[in-house]
Amino acid sequence: MGQLPHVPDVLSPRQVAETAASIASMQEPSGAVPWTTGEHVDIWNHVEAAMALLVGGEVEAAERAYDWVPTMQRPDGSWPMKIVGGQVDDDRGEVNMSAYLAVGVWHHWLVRHDVDFVRRLWPSVRAGLDWVVSQQQPFGGIGWTPSESFALLAGSSSIYQSLRAGVALADLLDDPQPGWELAGGRLGHAVRRHRDRFEDKSTYSMDWYYPVLGGAVRGPAALELLAPRWDDFVVPGLGIRCVDTNPWVTGAETCELVMALDAVGDHRRALGLLADMQHLRGDAGGYWTGWVYEGENPDVYWPVEHTTYTAAAVILAVDALGETYGHGTPGSGIMRGTSLAPHFAEIALECGCTPSHAR
């Protein structure tokens, strides 16, 4: 690895390395990365951790994490929702988790340019995205699980990014996937034009910023989407709320908003939020999940644990902003989407709308 990502006056390369090491310290012998020691694993957060390990200098740990993922994939291409100690704890297939390996593998390609690694993981990426696309609903959203009738906006927004990463990988390996492009066009249209058809999770900050983070909404439309609820979620000096009704700021959501703002060029506010959330940094580079700042028991960390997904989001946010303020790796644009396949055309819509090219 070359120089590690950093943002001056926020996190140094040494501090980023400490945070990556804190993730690696919780990795299980199998390669799985749980939420925290003894907790469950889900594929989305596991892949995010692998991405952070890679750019944080823990290359061997990152690749062990990736090699574990296919071992838990099922014949239909999906992954179970929760895995504890190598055993399935919740066997529902979840679309967002089953799509995200594509983003991780493309990110690894950007950083390492190891085509053998891509070829090794490609069958799992392809099977996962085929299964995800099979869950698409007529209006364009992706059904959350086969046993639930609704689609989630945050999850579907993330899947939009995964499909663009998947098509980029398909182009790299000369294995075209036109079905993914068709599904991506319909999905992007749903995220831009039919957010009211997704399950109402509007109290959660992820539903607010994920259409931007996932890439379906960009440009002036992204800033217009973020503006109305800024004060509902952002707590100056602390970060952002996970839920708009609770006095609790969380590091992972704050860093995801940082990356969404970076993706639309709002670097000043992104930098401010990244600096604000550093009060969650703990010993040895780990990060507390969140901070309760008022109420019956204020000024406490909650839950009382360091989580790998929070640490991973910090590293990826530093890498993204490092492109502007310090140093970023070749994978720093993964959330900006500059290296992904082009945005998908809106064709074969089933919602009755006239196709649009607006994003």
Side-chain angles (χ1 to χ4, degrees):
M1 285 290 297
Q3 188 178 18
L4 296 185
H6 61 272
V7 173
D9 301 321
V10 179
L11 283 185
S12 67
R14 178 186 59 79
Q15 290 172 311
V16 168
E18 288 174 351
T19 298
S22 79
I23 299 172
S25 73
M26 289 187 267
Q27 187 173 32
E28 297 172 356
S30 65
V33 182
W35 282 22
T36 193
T37 302
E39 254 285 2
H40 75 273
V41 183
D42 74 67
I43 299 300
W44 198 101
N45 285 289
H46 171 89
V47 168
E48 180 189 42
M51 293 163 66
L53 286 167
L54 185 66
V55 300
E58 297 281 351
V59 177
E60 188 272 337
E63 296 193 344
R64 285 201 302 118
Y66 280 116
D67 286 340
W68 173 83
V69 176
T71 70
M72 299 303 301
Q73 191 173 29
R74 299 182 292 204
D76 66 0
S78 70
W79 280 270
M81 191 174 292
K82 289 184 178 181
I83 301 158
V84 179
Q87 301 299 312
V88 174
D89 186 62
D90 185 337
D91 67 357
R92 289 177 296 170
E94 201 266 14
V95 289
N96 183 32
M97 297 178 191
S98 296
Y100 206 58
L101 180 60
V103 175
V105 173
W106 181 247
H107 178 259
H108 188 282
W109 166 254
L110 295 175
V111 175
R112 303 286 288 177
H113 281 269
D114 182 348
V115 73
D116 291 334
F117 175 90
V118 175
R119 289 194 180 105
R120 188 167 77 248
L121 274 296
W122 175 240
S124 287
V125 171
R126 185 174 56 205
L129 285 177
D130 281 345
W131 180 79
V132 168
V133 166
S134 76
Q135 307 303 310
Q136 190 163 39
Q137 299 183 352
F139 82 96
I142 310 292
W144 181 45
T145 78
S147 57
E148 275 85 14
S149 61
F150 54 83
L152 295 177
L153 178 58
S156 289
S157 298
S158 177
I159 291 167
Y160 184 81
Q161 180 194 24
S162 294
L163 287 170
R164 290 181 66 202
V167 170
L169 290 166
D171 290 345
L172 175 68
L173 298 181
D174 195 23
D175 187 6
Q177 301 294 324
W180 299 353
E181 298 182 49
L182 179 65
R186 295 172 58 210
L187 175 58
H189 173 83
V191 172
R192 289 187 286 270
R193 298 279 297 277
H194 298 304
R195 289 192 287 273
D196 60 324
R197 298 196 188 182
F198 291 91
E199 185 78 358
D200 183 9
K201 297 288 184 180
S202 56
T203 60
Y204 290 85
S205 58
M206 286 196 301
D207 259 33
W208 168 53
Y209 62 76
Y210 247 94
V212 179
L213 183 64
V217 181
R218 286 288 160 88
L223 296 174
E224 291 170 9
L225 185 153
L226 294 174
R229 303 214 62 194
W230 184 268
D231 292 336
D232 294 339
F233 290 111
V234 177
V235 183
L238 293 178
I240 76 168
R241 293 180 177 92
C242 175
V243 183
D244 63 7
T245 56
N246 297 343
W248 178 48
V249 293
T250 48
E253 281 82 356
T254 301
C255 288
E256 288 183 335
L257 179 58
V258 166
M259 290 184 277
L261 292 168
D262 172 73
V264 295
D266 192 345
H267 301 122
R268 179 186 61 82
R269 290 198 297 183
L271 180 64
L273 284 168
L274 183 62
D276 286 349
M277 65 79 58
Q278 295 306 316
H279 68 96
L280 295 172
R281 187 174 180 87
D283 296 337
Y287 279 81
W288 302 102
T289 301
W291 174 259
V292 179
Y293 56 89
E294 62 185 30
E296 292 184 6
N297 297 294
D299 301 331
V300 295
Y301 296 116
W302 186 82
V304 186
E305 61 188 19
H306 291 171
T307 40
T308 57
Y309 61 81
T310 303
V314 171
I315 292 175
L316 294 177
V318 168
D319 196 27
L321 278 186
E323 185 84 3
T324 299
Y325 291 110
H327 176 75
T329 72
S332 66
I334 191 67
M335 299 302 177
R336 289 191 296 274
T338 49
S339 68
L340 300 176
H343 289 281
F344 304 113
E346 295 183 3
I347 56 177
L349 300 180
E350 296 183 25
C351 56
C353 292
T354 300
S356 168
H357 297 293
R359 285 191 286 277

